[in-house]
Amino acid sequence: AQKVTQTQTSISVMEKTTVTMDCVYETQDSSYFLFWYKQTASGEIVFLIRQDSYKKENATVGHYSLNFQKPKSSIGLIITATQIEDSAVYFCAMREDLSGSFNKLTFGAGTRLAVCP
Amino acid sequence: DMKVTQMPRYLIKRMGENVLLECGQDMSHETMYWYRQDPGLGLQLIYISYDVDSNSEGDIPKGYRVSRKKREHFSLILDSAKTNQTSVYFCASRDRGYEQYFGPGTRLTVL
């Protein structure tokens, strides 16, 4: 069974610095997809970035990037030059590529990020 | 602009009452989902719908049922709501790509 674990409950950083949020996952599948979502204070959940397991290059979108360490089953989210509006809860999620599981996302418990001025 | 809507946004019910949560999407996505979110537990999958009248249980389906009679609408039904079903419920849809698009959520309180 797939499992996603985010051990950091909350993080606080100063504005304009870089922050890394950790996520480890468990899967029996050799092909899977990893996602990060952001939930704002209003409750809105927004997709941020995706990493495909077969890709060696770390995904990057804007000031979000990933640190994919496949041997460690780890997918960290890196936010550079943080802004106040990056304050939110960040969820890591995984989807396996198995038949019957292809449509299912498993989420971690989330990490609350506070960016301070 | 791709959009997932949910109605109502807030709902208060008494234990034993029936609850209907509605979700709509204007993207003709085949796959839709219902999740619940509780503090410290992230998002838990209740049901998946692959298309009209093609639904599958998620991880926590007990106490819930769903209905999908049109591709753009997906309903979550609680027959005789219980206090432990107090939660925030999210609907999502997915196209043939990878990302899920989430609705704004419904905050349900069962007294």
Side-chain angles (χ1 to χ4, degrees), chain B residues 79-96:
Chain B
D79 295 314
S80 188
K82 301 173 180 54
T83 55
N84 62 8
Q85 292 178 309
T86 292
S87 187
V88 181
Y89 291 87
F90 285 94
C91 175
S93 73
R94 184 179 71 84
D95 61 11
R96 295 182 183 273

Side-chain angles (χ1 to χ4, degrees), chain B residues 65-77:
Chain B
R65 62 183 174 94
V66 292
S67 174
R68 192 166 180 203
K69 297 301 181 184
K70 293 182 180 180
R71 179 172 283 186
E72 60 270 22
H73 291 131
F74 189 31
S75 301
L76 181 68
I77 301 137

Side-chain angles (χ1 to χ4, degrees), chain A residues 33 35 37 39 42-47 50 52 54 89 91 95 100 102-110, chain B residues 9 31 33 35 37 40-45 48 50 58-59 90 94 96-104:
Chain A
F33 306 92
F35 303 83
Y37 284 82
Q39 186 172 32
S42 67
E44 182 185 16
I45 299 173
V46 178
F47 164 76
R50 181 185 96 235
D52 300 344
Y54 59 87
V89 178
F91 291 98
R95 189 172 77 229
F102 183 65
N103 281 302
K104 176 183 170 182
L105 270 182
T106 298
F107 284 84
Chain B
R9 295 293 313 280
T31 308
Y33 308 78
Y35 294 90
Q37 183 179 31
L41 293 179
L43 288 152
Q44 297 176 275
L45 181 64
I48 302 174
Y50 299 102
D59 296 322
F90 285 94
R94 184 179 71 84
R96 295 182 183 273
Y98 298 94
E99 295 83 41
Q100 291 187 17
Y101 299 90
F102 284 83

Side-chain angles (χ1 to χ4, degrees), chain A residues 1-5 23-30 32-34 70 72-75 92-96 98 106:
Chain A
Q2 53 186 350
K3 185 178 179 182
V4 177
T5 304
C23 175
V24 293
Y25 55 91
E26 296 176 22
T27 179
Q28 303 299 318
D29 199 4
S30 59
Y32 49 90
F33 306 92
L34 301 161
K70 196 170 183 178
K72 295 184 178 180
S73 297
S74 170
I75 184 75
C92 177
M94 177 177 67
R95 189 172 77 229
E96 295 174 326
L98 296 168
T106 298

